[in-house]
Amino acid sequence: MPRKLPSLSAAKAFEAAARLLSFRAAAEELSVTHSAISHQVKSLEAQLGVLLFKRGPQSVSLTEAGRLYFPVLRDALDRIAEGTELVRAMESPKELTVQVYITMAVNWLIPRLYDFQQRFPDIKVRLETSRVSWDFDAEHADLGIVLQTPSDPSVHREVLARAAVTPLCSPKLLGGKNGISRPEDLHRFPLLKIYTSPQDWPTWFKKAGVEAAVESEAITVDSYILAYEAAMEGQGVAMGLRPFAMPDLKVERRLVAPFGIVAERPDSWLLVCRPERLDRPAVRAFRNWLREAAGTAPAKVA
DNA sequence: TGCTACCTAAGTGGGATCAG
DNA sequence: CTGATCCCACTTAGGTAGCA
């Protein structure tokens, strides 16, 4: 016997309107006009032969039938969404879109990606980068490595490492009468600041037990990688971001870390991912590889 | 803020036709 | 006879405008 089901459009319209208790808000969420929501709800009520909403002059509320029907449809739509995501994941199990900061990509991820490709040659990695902070695009990307807590609470997060900073400069600036040998000496050099991380220098000076440098003397750039480039040219002292955004100082001889003083930042490097994608083979492979390469045990953030 | 009338565009289904 | 294709009428979804 065939199932007697409402149309998916009507179910979506009713679920959104019931959840938001507003036809207009539901219309905005579903990218249609409020008229379309009204049509859909009305057709659903006609099909059921019962009113689902009490229409007031300025608002709507659920009838008893509406209150009964709402959780049923909500759960059903959730299950459809989960199932759809599973099938979609099966369709392209070998592709992986990863979002990371450009400094992390250049200094840490790209030098190690060869190892991942050697181990998983059939997984195609698409790397997307950003110079400054961004909201992880959970719809578009499979995985992300971010410094801040992502705004979307439905995203799975796990800590890779606590972020920390330490100064980096050209070896040309070291030693001698006018060179850098103590933390106080930094006050005589331009300090390269990242405008999204203004607390790096004050945090580090506090850790070093030295009065912070005058702000007006700082040069500001929009990414750590630009600061490193400027520091290599001897144009100032950059703040190195550990652990994933640091240049390899054994290879990159144009930069040195003059002090062993490392100051922890309040944030951490997080691996973020939509929960329903965690079981995708490519996501699982990349996540395990990343944790191994980062040398961390999984630690989920609540 | 929601309802209704009216309109348009896109989708659907059934019949006609044709080729293998 | 069967399957593919085309055409056309009908249905459906959603938009605009006006109203309560």
Side-chain angles (χ1 to χ4, degrees):
Chain A
M1 187 171 162
R3 290 186 173 98
K4 289 180 182 173
L5 297 175
S7 77
L8 189 57
S9 300
K12 282 164 63 185
F14 167 71
E15 191 274 338
R19 178 165 35 83
L20 301 166
L21 288 178
S22 162
F23 281 26
R24 189 163 289 277
E28 263 179 41
E29 182 175 296
L30 298 176
S31 302
V32 295
T33 62
H34 75 275
S35 172
I37 299 294
S38 177
H39 281 307
Q40 292 288 358
V41 170
K42 200 176 169 188
S43 75
L44 184 59
E45 289 175 328
Q47 190 183 344
L48 297 170
V50 61
L51 286 177
L52 297 168
F53 286 101
K54 279 184 235 165
R55 275 83 166 170
Q58 290 295 317
S59 64
V60 291
S61 59
L62 287 168
T63 62
E64 196 182 337
R67 279 197 297 274
L68 185 71
Y69 201 33
F70 168 57
V72 176
L73 272 194
R74 181 196 56 204
D75 293 349
L77 290 173
D78 283 348
R79 288 203 62 195
I80 292 171
E82 285 166 17
T84 304
E85 190 55 46
L86 276 177
V87 173
R88 196 174 281 157
M90 286 173 68
E91 194 180 310
S92 56
K94 305 292 186 187
E95 286 187 10
L96 195 69
T97 300
V98 182
Q99 286 185 339
V100 296
Y101 289 101
I102 190 164
T103 310
M104 195 255 187
V106 170
N107 288 310
W108 195 89
L109 189 55
I110 288 173
R112 288 164 176 79
L113 261 188
Y114 177 74
D115 174 61
F116 179 79
Q117 295 284 251
Q118 288 289 105
R119 289 202 220 175
F120 305 97
D122 53 341
I123 297 179
K124 200 166 87 186
V125 177
R126 181 201 298 269
L127 200 57
E128 295 184 354
T129 62
S130 168
R131 278 186 302 174
V132 292
S133 62
W134 85 101
D135 278 332
F136 172 60
D137 183 356
E139 289 293 329
H140 169 68
D142 297 302
L143 278 169
I145 301 165
V146 300
L147 257 177
Q148 83 279 26
T149 303
S151 55
D152 182 354
S154 67
V155 171
H156 167 90
R157 298 166 264 169
E158 55 192 82
V159 176
L160 293 171
R162 179 80 180 264
V165 287
T166 193
L168 298 177
C169 67
S170 164
K172 289 182 280 188
L173 302 185
L174 294 182
K177 191 180 170 187
N178 296 319
I180 297 170
S181 54
R182 299 169 305 152
E184 299 91 294
D185 297 334
L186 293 175
H187 292 161
R188 289 185 281 110
F189 292 87
L191 302 181
L192 301 159
K193 279 204 321 183
I194 314 301
Y195 72 73
T196 51
S197 304
Q199 287 306 306
D200 279 357
W201 280 108
T203 303
W204 186 84
F205 276 121
K206 190 178 175 189
K207 172 84 177 185
V210 176
E211 196 179 329
V214 180
E215 289 285 318
S216 61
E217 291 179 2
I219 295 171
T220 303
V221 293
D222 71 353
S223 74
Y224 286 89
I225 199 164
L226 288 181
Y228 298 163
E229 286 295 323
M232 284 176 202
E233 298 299 323
Q235 293 181 22
V237 182
M239 195 51 100
L241 178 59
R242 287 163 59 105
F244 300 118
M246 280 286 279
D248 186 343
L249 300 182
K250 288 176 190 154
V251 176
E252 181 47 77
R253 301 291 184 149
R254 292 180 296 164
L255 280 178
V256 291
F259 313 107
I261 304 166
V262 176
E264 284 198 329
R265 287 175 36 139
D267 51 1
S268 295
W269 289 95
L270 302 177
L271 184 150
V272 295
C273 179
R274 279 175 79 99
E276 66 270 21
R277 294 189 190 169
L278 286 171
D279 284 336
R280 281 185 58 182
V283 170
R284 201 162 51 226
F286 192 86
R287 196 166 146 237
N288 290 338
W289 170 83
L290 183 71
R291 286 200 305 241
E292 187 188 319
T296 59
K300 180 147 189 289
V301 177

